[in-house]
Amino acid sequence: THLPVLESDRILQLSARSFDAFVWELWGVLLNGACLVLLPERWGLSDISTKLVDSRISAIFLTSRLFDAMIDNIPEAMAGLRLVGFGGEAASPCHVAHAIQLLPGTILVNVYGPSENTTFSLSWVVRGPIDRHSPVPIGETRGCDEAWLLDPSDLSVIDDEGVGELFVAGRGLAL
């Protein structure tokens, strides 16, 4: 799995029920016997900070921009997290590099996945320093999923680095 949930985890439920990351929050907890901690319907960074610390949250998924805001404003509240997944749009290399320094004991995972593939299709575990001037990788597939970078003009596979369209396939992909 891209963001493994442990039975001992306490996950903060941040996503709207209509956002596909809610699938990971709810079903990750239900299928693994973990604990889901809720926020009020309206919340801000201070609410997240308080809940992370007071409820001993261990795992969380954040949109990339919320991840950036938390690294900029309340990184100390994230110090006790075992796992932080972030995605939804391109990750900021500067914020990821800063998170590596601020959260040395935390597993940081950049995830990518269109809603049609029910939450995460690819993931990249951040290990060691990264180049602040290069894009943060979106990683590789897991399990039975597959991904290809295709040339949009003829749909041929691009084997080397290049620009193209990402095609994903797998058992979780919607028709």
Side-chain angles (χ1 to χ4, degrees), residues 26-174:
L26 179 65
W27 289 102
V29 164
L30 291 175
L31 293 172
N32 292 287
C35 177
L36 186 65
V37 178
L38 306 177
L39 275 175
E41 188 173 327
R42 295 185 189 275
W43 49 263
L45 288 179
S46 63
D47 299 310
I48 294 173
S49 178
T50 300
K51 195 63 88 166
L52 288 176
V53 174
D54 291 352
S55 297
R56 300 178 329 278
I57 301 300
S58 59
I60 193 170
F61 170 79
L62 305 166
T63 62
S64 296
R65 296 302 70 89
L66 182 54
F67 174 78
D68 297 350
M70 291 180 67
I71 291 300
D72 286 342
N73 297 289
I74 57 168
E76 65 283 349
M78 299 172 66
L81 294 171
R82 175 187 71 78
L83 173 71
V84 174
F86 52 92
E89 60 184 300
S92 161
C94 291
H95 287 91
V96 174
H98 199 199
I100 291 168
Q101 295 172 341
L102 295 171
L103 307 171
T106 302
I107 301 167
L108 301 171
V109 185
N110 186 26
V111 293
Y112 168 80
S115 296
E116 298 83 3
N117 211 17
T118 310
T119 317
F120 311 124
S121 303
L122 299 110
S123 62
W124 182 70
V125 178
V126 179
R127 290 185 170 86
I130 66 164
D131 182 348
R132 292 176 182 254
H133 304 291
S134 296
V136 178
I138 58 173
E140 300 176 343
T141 60
R142 301 280 185 271
C144 297
D145 292 339
E146 296 181 57
W148 305 275
L149 187 61
L150 302 182
D151 183 318
S153 64
D154 63 2
L155 298 182
S156 62
V157 175
I158 299 172
D159 290 325
D160 296 329
E161 291 185 26
V163 176
E165 291 187 41
L166 184 64
F167 280 63
V168 295
R171 292 186 307 192
L173 187 64

